Amino acid sequence: MGRKKVKSIEIKKNWPGYLLVAPAVIMVLALALYPLIRGIYLSFLDYNLVRPFDPNFNSFAGLKNYIEIFKNKVFIQSIGNTVKWTAVNLIVQLVIAMLLALALNKNLKGRGVYRTLILVPWAVPHAIAAMTFTFLYNANVGIINIIAVKIGAITESISWLGNIGSAFWCVALVAIWKGIPFQMIFILAALQGIPGDVYESAKIDGATNWQTFWKITLPIIKEQVAIATILNLIGIVSCFNTIWLMTGGGPLYSTEIIYTFAYREAFINHNFGTASAASVILFIFMTLISGIYLHLVREKE
């Protein structure tokens, strides 16, 4: 029996089920596709709500919005910040998550408690985490400044989030703290799938801990780590709440990423044309990442 005929029989057999889930599928597609199509459409329009009576308002602008944002120094800076933000978060989160997963994969006393505690940052909402750390960084009453002054690390309180040199790293620290558990769960699950006999054989052969990790552990879990990393990368690039709530992209756009740039253009400057253009560029980047992820999943299957 041909494959097409088998599929046709399966569809006829399961049509009541497809009919039941159809409304939910249609609703999800509508909520996902309409904003996407509308955003791409707006990126080619002259759509600035500050000038609603302009003769060119809501008219086709071609690539004007894309040209304008690439001439915008803030957008160019946001691209650099996005790359820096992504690289710092990705590398630090991966290294720390790997170390924690390796430690928790051993037979430690109270291992369950440690795992639960490490998962706490992941459970904390972004808004709560941002507000808490903003208070901790506060120049007047923040505990970080108080402790640093008392131990002599600094002579006077510092405005950590108001300083160009420190704001980026302070916000990145919060994102790293929030993102490590997600990465760790994937790696730990992959490590627990490795048979113990493999390590016993390596130990008999005289392999060191580093050789065991580099030659055995990493090659076995590399696919799971790659998938977890790409999923984490999507979250890092689209991280908005933490940055916006803590610094608003400042000071002097030192923490501005493409996501915050698009939000600022749309809801503060009311220029939905350039905001949509920036969002489309971010969407293309995210689509490429998602494509890599799907390719890895298919290879794994």
Side-chain angles (χ1 to χ4, degrees):
M1 189 181 290
R3 189 175 293 179
K4 290 183 178 179
K5 195 171 183 180
V6 172
K7 286 184 177 180
S8 178
I9 293 171
E10 287 180 354
I11 291 171
K12 288 179 181 179
K13 182 180 177 182
N14 299 321
W15 74 265
Y18 294 134
L19 197 63
L20 288 171
V21 300
V25 172
I26 292 169
M27 184 63 69
V28 170
L29 288 175
L31 292 174
L33 289 178
Y34 175 74
L36 173 62
I37 295 170
R38 178 65 174 170
I40 295 172
Y41 176 67
L42 283 176
S43 71
F44 294 102
L45 298 181
D46 189 339
Y47 203 89
N48 192 331
L49 295 181
V50 176
R51 303 193 305 270
F53 301 108
D54 190 298
N56 295 322
F57 179 75
N58 202 25
S59 62
F60 181 73
L63 297 175
K64 176 186 173 185
N65 292 321
Y66 292 92
I67 295 170
E68 281 187 3
I69 61 172
F70 278 106
K71 287 182 178 179
N72 191 323
K73 292 181 180 179
V74 176
F75 180 72
I76 299 301
Q77 186 176 349
S78 73
I79 294 175
N81 288 339
T82 303
V83 173
K84 182 181 175 182
W85 173 264
T86 304
V88 169
N89 275 275
L90 197 64
I91 294 169
V92 176
Q93 287 184 31
L94 179 59
V95 171
I96 296 177
M98 180 69 75
L99 293 173
L100 288 173
L102 289 169
L104 293 176
N105 194 46
K106 298 182 181 296
N107 293 321
L108 300 173
K109 288 184 179 180
R111 183 170 59 175
V113 177
Y114 296 141
R115 288 179 180 177
T116 304
L117 290 174
I118 290 172
L119 288 175
V120 169
W122 192 29
V124 176
H126 284 279
I128 302 298
M131 292 171 66
T132 302
F133 275 89
T134 300
F135 177 75
L136 293 176
Y137 288 132
N138 188 277
N140 299 317
V141 295
I143 192 68
I144 293 175
N145 272 306
I146 293 172
I147 293 174
V149 170
K150 283 189 175 181
I151 65 175
I154 55 177
T155 56
E156 58 182 3
S157 295
I158 297 173
S159 178
W160 299 100
L161 297 177
N163 191 303
I164 296 175
S166 60
F168 178 90
W169 302 104
C170 289
V171 179
L173 180 64
V174 180
I176 291 167
W177 177 76
K178 281 275 300 162
I180 287 172
F182 175 82
Q183 190 95 338
M184 190 209 69
I185 291 171
F186 273 85
I187 298 172
L188 184 59
L191 289 172
Q192 290 180 339
I194 302 175
D197 297 341
V198 176
Y199 291 117
E200 289 179 8
S201 300
K203 192 174 182 181
I204 292 170
D205 291 337
T208 62
N209 290 335
W210 172 251
Q211 288 173 332
T212 302
F213 171 75
W214 191 253
K215 298 292 185 180
I216 298 174
T217 304
L218 197 57
I220 292 175
I221 67 171
K222 66 179 181 180
E223 288 184 352
Q224 293 90 331
V225 172
I227 292 170
T229 301
I230 291 171
L231 282 173
N232 196 32
L233 181 61
I234 293 171
I236 291 168
V237 174
S238 60
C239 181
F240 169 79
N241 294 340
T242 304
I243 296 176
W244 191 259
L245 291 173
M246 293 185 71
T247 63
L252 294 178
Y253 307 106
S254 60
T255 58
E256 185 94 322
I257 61 173
I258 297 175
Y259 214 122
T260 57
F261 175 85
Y263 181 88
R264 187 189 307 282
E265 282 293 298
F267 299 105
I268 295 178
N269 298 334
H270 304 293
N271 194 342
F272 282 83
T274 54
S276 298
S279 298
V280 169
I281 292 168
L282 185 62
F283 170 73
I284 292 170
F285 180 61
M286 299 292 282
T287 302
L288 291 173
I289 295 173
S290 300
I292 296 170
Y293 165 66
L294 292 172
H295 178 69
L296 288 172
V297 171
R298 288 196 190 100
E299 276 194 351
K300 190 179 177 224
E301 290 175 351

